Amino acid sequence: MTEAKDRVRLWLRLLKTVRGIENDLRETLRRDHKTTLPRFDVMSALSRHPQGLKMSQLSGVLRVSNGNVTGIADRLSDEGLVERVAVPGDRRAIVLRLTQAGLAEFETQAQAHEEWINERLSGVSPEEARAMAARLQDFADAAEMTMEKTTDAQ
Amino acid sequence: MTEAKDRVRLWLRLLKTVRGIENDLRETLRRDHKTTLPRFDVMSALSRHPQGLKMSQLSGVLRVSNGNVTGIADRLSDEGLVERVAVPGDRRAIVLRLTQAGLAEFETQAQAHEEWINERLSGVSPEEARAMAARLQDFADAAEMTMEKTTDAQ
DNA sequence: AGCATTTCCTTTACGTATAAAATGTTTTTA
DNA sequence: TAAAAACATTTTATACGTAAAGGAAATGCT
C-alpha cells in the first residue's frame, strides 16, 4: 500500500527531475549550438564508433525506432555532419558515420555539454553522484532480470 | 575534471533510467488503456483540480508549451473525457475540466498505473525510494536557487 | 534452383513537443 | 478614451517519436 506510494513518488520525482534538466538543456543546445538532444545523441554514438554504425545498430544503441533514426540522419546529412556509406557485402544495409566536419562539431558540443552538466548538477557532490548513479544502475539491473524472466516465459 | 565526469555519468544514467521506464509505460498505457503518458498527465492534473484549470495554468503546471496543451485537450475533448468551459469574467480564458466519463476513466487508469509502477520499481525498497526521492528533491531545490540567482541577474 | 522467410531501411499516419506568429480580449497608459 | 501594452489561447512550421506497412535484398529450406 504505502510502499506503492513511495515508489510512485520516486517515479514522479525522477520524471520531473529529468524533464527539468532536459528542458534547460534543450534551450542551451538550441541557443549555443543550433542543435537538439536527439541529434547530439546520434553524433555522440557515432563518435564512439569511428568506423560508423549501421542504421539498425544505431537505433538499437539509442533504443529508438528505425524510422526515427532515418529522419535524424537525413537532417544531419543535409548539413554535412554525417554521411551514409554503402556496406560492401550487403546492399540493404547502410553505415552512418561522422564526417570530418561532424567530428569537429561534435567535439566542441561535447566539451560544452560536459561543462554545462557539471554546472547544472553542481548541487550534487561527486561522491553523491557516484552513489546515486550506482544505485540507479543496480535497480536497472534488477529490472532487467525481471524483464528477462517475463520474456523467457513466452 | 573527474567530478565533472561523475556528474555527467549520473545524468546519463538518470536519462537512461527514466527513458527505459517511460518506454515500458508507453507500451502499457497504449495496450491496456488506449492512451498515452501526456494524456494521462493532463487528466491527472485535472483530477487534482475538480473545478478545472485554465489552459495557461495547465501548461504551467505540466511545464509544457501552450500549443502542446491545446492539441492534447482537442483530442481528449473529441473523446468526451474533458470539456472546455468559458470563464465568466474573461472571454480570453477557457477552463478545462474532466467530464464524468473522464473522471471515471482516470480513476481506473490511475489505479492501474500505481500498481504498474510499484511492480516496475519492485527492485527498489520503500526506504530506498523515499531516500532517493528526498535526495532528488534536495538537489532540485539547489538547482532552483541557482536558477533564481541567474534570473535575478537580469 | 526456387520460393517463403527474414532482415534492413524507408515511408506513412499520427501524436507529442517547441518557438514564433496570429487572433481576439483585457488592461494600462498617455 | 484612444493607442499601446499585456494576456490567453490557437495556429503554423518544424522536429521528434512510435507503430505499422512497404520495397529491396539476403537467407534458408526443400
Side-chain angles (χ1 to χ4, degrees), chain A residues 3-7 11 13 18-19 22 41 114 117-118 120-121 124 126 128 130 135 137 143, chain B residues 3-7 11 13 18-19 22 41 114 117-118 120-121 124 126 128 130 135 137 143:
Chain A
E3 51 187 67
K5 300 273 186 210
D6 286 335
R7 293 194 180 102
W11 164 238
R13 173 57 47 199
V18 168
R19 284 186 177 170
E22 251 185 316
D41 286 345
E114 182 175 316
I117 293 290
N118 192 43
R120 180 64 168 75
L121 301 198
V124 186
E128 242 186 333
R130 280 195 297 274
R135 219 188 284 205
Q137 179 65 61
Chain B
E3 50 187 70
K5 300 273 186 210
D6 287 335
R7 293 194 180 104
W11 163 238
R13 173 56 47 198
V18 167
R19 284 186 177 169
E22 252 184 315
D41 285 345
E114 181 174 315
I117 293 290
N118 192 42
R120 181 64 167 77
L121 301 198
V124 186
E128 242 186 333
R130 280 196 298 273
R135 218 187 285 205
Q137 178 66 61

Side-chain angles (χ1 to χ4, degrees), chain A residues 13 123 128, chain B residues 131-145:
Chain A
R13 173 57 47 199
E128 242 186 333
Chain B
M132 209 184 292
R135 218 187 285 205
L136 287 166
Q137 178 66 61
D138 288 347
F139 127 53
D141 292 344
E144 190 84 9
M145 304 283 245

